[in-house]
Amino acid sequence: MSDSLMCSTEFCNAGWSEVLTHMSPYGYANFGIAFGLGLSVVGAAWGIWLTGSSLVGAAIKAPRIRSKNLISVIFCEATAIYGVIMAIILANKVKKPDLQGDGLPENWDWHGYYYAGYGMFSAGLSVGLTNIASGVSVGIAGSSCAIGDAQDPSLFVKVLIVEIFASALGIFGIIVGIIQSNACNFPIQALEN
């Protein structure tokens, strides 16, 4: 690489490790909110796609299953609602410093500042990933419920119980996210000397 293309100012970065370590804790917190909400919606959409396509196909053979099996779609949609709830909880934890001027003082609570950002990122990511797993598992169980119900109506309640347990994955994820983010509070004042 020629010297004219190399960056030689103080604003250059040495790679992704430097970008990730120099990112603002507010950035990490907002990415956590975005991942929690976005991945939850992806999980819900994926589950609805799996359930809905099987429901529509099986309803050709047995039209009576259409309204009864919509509960599977509602279970899938619940995973998106879990992401919305967690995003609201995390967004309410982001606080602006109560300071005059541009910079942060020397006696700022840097450990608490970064702890809040990283904690909110991990909380959002864990909620989003568990809701993808929950949405897909509810979708697969809902698909099986629709196809099985079209063949034998006595299977509906049995497979619905499996769907409820699959939906519980999302509830476990939001509980873990709330526990993770419980101590994540952005400092708004400098530490006392």
Side-chain angles (χ1 to χ4, degrees), residues 39-40 42-52 54 71-79 82 128-146 159-173:
L39 294 176
S40 297
V42 167
W46 200 343
I48 291 170
W49 172 59
L50 290 169
T51 299
S54 296
I71 190 77
S72 303
V73 175
I74 294 168
F75 279 142
C76 291
E77 190 59 38
T79 60
Y82 299 150
L129 292 176
T130 55
N131 281 335
I132 282 183
S134 175
V136 170
S137 61
V138 169
I140 291 171
S143 172
S144 302
C145 186
V159 181
L160 189 65
I161 292 171
V162 175
E163 262 187 90
I164 292 169
F165 286 121
S167 180
L169 290 174
I171 295 171
F172 296 149

Side-chain angles (χ1 to χ4, degrees), residues 56-131:
V56 169
I60 294 171
K61 180 183 184 303
R64 64 177 170 71
I65 70 165
R66 280 182 289 185
S67 60
K68 180 165 63 168
N69 278 282
L70 283 178
I71 190 77
S72 303
V73 175
I74 294 168
F75 279 142
C76 291
E77 190 59 38
T79 60
I81 294 170
Y82 299 150
V84 170
I85 291 169
M86 195 64 207
I88 291 169
I89 290 170
L90 291 178
N92 285 330
K93 289 183 165 288
V94 177
K95 302 285 186 223
K96 185 180 141 196
D98 189 25
L99 299 170
Q100 302 297 329
D102 291 336
L104 296 174
E106 290 292 324
N107 59 344
W108 188 252
D109 183 13
W110 294 103
H111 296 294
Y113 189 55
Y114 279 95
Y115 180 84
Y118 293 148
M120 289 176 64
F121 177 76
S122 67
L125 193 61
S126 62
V127 167
L129 292 176
T130 55
N131 281 335

